[in-house]
Amino acid sequence: MPDTLLEQHAEALRLFGARVRAVRDGQWDAPTPCTQWSVRDLVNHVTGEQLWIPPMVTEGRTVEEIGDAFSGDVLGEDPVGVWERAAAAAHAAFAAPGALDRTVRLSYGPARGRAYCAEQTADCIVHAWDLARGIGGDDRLPAGLVEFALQEVLPYADGLAASGMFAAPLDVPAGADAQTRLLALVGRQG
């Protein structure tokens, strides 16, 4: 498992990015486990999340100040290129001196940069699984990243479904591995 939060963030971005690069031309409209999203919608969502990071972390801007700048299709004609640039900029923003200790003003209130980075890392890990499923790729997640995401999700797992952004948690079979437990917490059948 990577030693630091920044290393975990970088590893999650690489994992998702490898799957973005694996999307074939005819797969962008394929369904994903995120029932209302196609492969393109999913990549657009995760890319859009990365685009929010530099103005919020580096510039100290609020959700209200950014407004709808990243709404709609952010991928354009070069989904892979847009993803790569957004991921690099997001990681650079979190890696800047003092960024993890800054207060970031998120939609649900103020949070430390490290909490925002951890949240985005876990989101990227889970969506890497979604994307692999959508394109018929290898859906195994690295054990260290699974453990990281589990630790990030567990404290607020009970409220995820109520947010409207996640399916209800699933029952976990006895003896289930960490990846199955993580996916069940976020309403996915592994």
Side-chain angles (χ1 to χ4, degrees):
M1 183 163 141
D3 291 336
T4 69
L5 175 57
L6 287 173
E7 289 169 344
Q8 292 162 330
H9 181 253
E11 180 65 19
L13 292 173
R14 283 191 295 272
L15 178 68
F16 190 82
R19 288 168 178 172
V20 171
R21 288 185 297 282
V23 177
R24 294 185 304 277
D25 287 339
Q27 293 182 310
W28 289 101
D29 291 325
T32 69
C34 301
T35 56
Q36 298 185 347
W37 285 344
S38 67
V39 165
R40 185 179 176 91
D41 295 332
L42 175 63
V43 173
N44 190 69
H45 163 73
V46 179
T47 302
E49 290 295 318
Q50 304 318 302
L51 292 170
W52 280 89
I53 294 167
M56 294 187 77
V57 173
T58 306
E59 301 167 22
R61 294 173 62 193
T62 65
V63 171
E64 295 77 23
E65 290 170 337
I66 297 168
D68 63 358
F70 306 119
S71 296
D73 178 24
V74 298
L75 299 177
E77 298 298 315
D78 183 20
V80 175
V82 173
W83 159 257
E84 304 253 341
R85 290 186 294 278
H91 188 70
F94 281 133
L100 296 180
D101 294 320
R102 286 188 197 123
T103 298
V104 182
R105 292 169 292 170
L106 304 172
S107 60
Y108 53 81
R112 285 275 181 236
R114 79 179 52 262
Y116 184 35
C117 183
E119 174 187 317
Q120 289 301 313
T121 301
D123 189 59
C124 205
I125 293 164
V126 171
H127 285 317
W129 181 86
D130 293 328
L131 184 52
R133 281 289 176 105
I135 64 173
D138 181 1
D139 66 2
R140 289 173 295 167
L141 300 170
L145 290 181
V146 169
E147 288 298 331
F148 172 85
L150 264 172
Q151 295 308 310
E152 177 63 20
V153 171
L154 276 171
Y156 54 89
D158 291 341
L160 292 176
S163 74
M165 298 174 65
F166 294 88
L170 305 174
D171 291 330
V172 180
D177 64 16
Q179 180 169 317
T180 302
R181 289 194 321 270
L182 171 64
L183 295 172
L185 280 173
V186 294
R188 289 156 171 87
Q189 184 78 40

